[in-house]
Amino acid sequence: MPTDLDSFGPDDPVLVSPRYLAGPRLEQRPLAAAMVWSSLMKAGWATYTLDNQREPLLCASPCQLVRAARMPNATDGGWKTVVYEDPLAAPWWTAEWTQQTPAELLTDFHRALAEAHALGALHSLTSPAAAVYLPLLNAGWSHTVDERGNQMFTAPDRFATVTGHRRPSHGSDAWSLSVFPGTTGVCRWSARFSKQVPNALVAAFTASLADTTPVYRTAGQLPKELHSHLVTEPAPPCAPGRSEAGAASAPVLPTAGPGQSTARRL
């Protein structure tokens, strides 16, 4: 049965839903990057870190045409992934997330990115747009169309909205997301995917977004102003994520790819 968060201490492990209101989860950034980029690093991508810093700021493909970045000095302190056709030209496509994006959603997107890169499918638009929004509809999200023809998919609690933009130009957003709890009056977090992002990758993100499986947190990591909107229960000893949480006190940085250094000045 769901449990009142007041009954937990700040370090007590809990399972919480919906995941899009659960906060970013990992407060130690080296551990966050290791989780979000785990599939990329397993595929031999290299990480780069500023001198005298422990936080990896960049993960790059062996061809150096695909780069995932953590941007702690940006206004929103978020994440960005960029694909180039020509390293000296403008990006072919970009995907961006603000700081409070839950780590599980970022991890699922980058897992799909690693698979698409291995298959040479980062420029493929063959997946239909329906692949993006069917996970939302199947999870009970509502669907409306505005006067400009943009499609909007809204979560049952109305705190999250995914918008499919009708006629994006090459550099503009094809899909965007806003999580805007009415209790806060401000956008909690947002995501943007430019026109050329393969629908299969956006679909990996929306499938994770709509997933009703509870995610692991400690009670103290949950946004206090959203406690009344979260469903929580004690995490069992075998709950996914307990091992990562136990390692949080001593984060281990990802290893570099062949011939690369994890302590390289950007």
Side-chain angles (χ1 to χ4, degrees), residues 40-264:
L40 304 179
M41 293 182 290
K42 287 177 182 177
W45 295 36
T47 57
Y48 300 89
T49 306
L50 291 173
D51 291 344
N52 302 318
Q53 299 291 321
R54 288 187 57 79
E55 178 188 2
L57 297 181
L58 183 71
C59 189
S61 64
C63 64
Q64 297 292 309
L65 294 178
V66 189
R67 301 168 192 170
R70 177 79 168 93
M71 302 179 293
N73 296 324
T75 301
D76 57 26
W79 304 78
K80 185 174 184 178
T81 294
V82 181
V83 171
Y84 295 88
E85 285 192 312
D86 181 334
L88 300 180
W92 177 246
W93 63 253
T94 61
E96 301 179 63
W97 304 266
T98 55
Q99 183 178 16
Q100 293 296 316
T101 305
E104 292 84 357
L105 278 66
L106 291 163
T107 301
D108 288 343
F109 176 90
H110 288 92
R111 181 182 298 113
L113 176 72
E115 294 171 356
H117 180 264
L119 295 172
L122 289 181
H123 299 84
S124 173
L125 299 176
T126 56
S127 297
V132 175
Y133 58 74
L134 279 178
L136 305 175
L137 295 180
N138 290 337
W141 291 45
S142 63
H143 173 227
T144 58
V145 181
D146 68 14
E147 65 279 2
R148 293 174 292 182
N150 299 321
Q151 298 190 73
M152 290 170 288
F153 304 87
T154 304
D157 59 13
R158 307 194 66 80
F159 285 167
T161 300
V162 172
T163 302
H165 301 275
R166 182 184 179 190
R167 294 180 178 176
S169 62
H170 176 79
S172 64
D173 301 333
W175 297 94
S176 61
L177 162 75
S178 295
V179 175
F180 197 101
T183 56
T184 65
V186 296
C187 185
R188 187 75 192 174
W189 62 272
S190 61
R192 303 169 55 188
F193 303 90
S194 67
K195 179 181 179 180
Q196 301 299 333
V197 179
N199 285 330
L201 297 188
V202 186
F205 186 80
T206 56
S208 186
L209 175 72
D211 191 343
T212 58
T213 305
V215 294
Y216 177 94
R217 296 290 186 273
T218 58
Q221 290 177 320
L222 299 174
K224 292 183 178 180
E225 67 273 22
L226 300 180
H227 280 190
S228 62
H229 302 284
L230 299 172
V231 177
T232 57
E233 59 183 300
C238 60
R242 291 185 69 97
S243 60
E244 292 93 340
S249 59
V252 178
L253 292 183
T255 58
Q260 301 293 344
S261 169
T262 58
R264 173 176 171 178

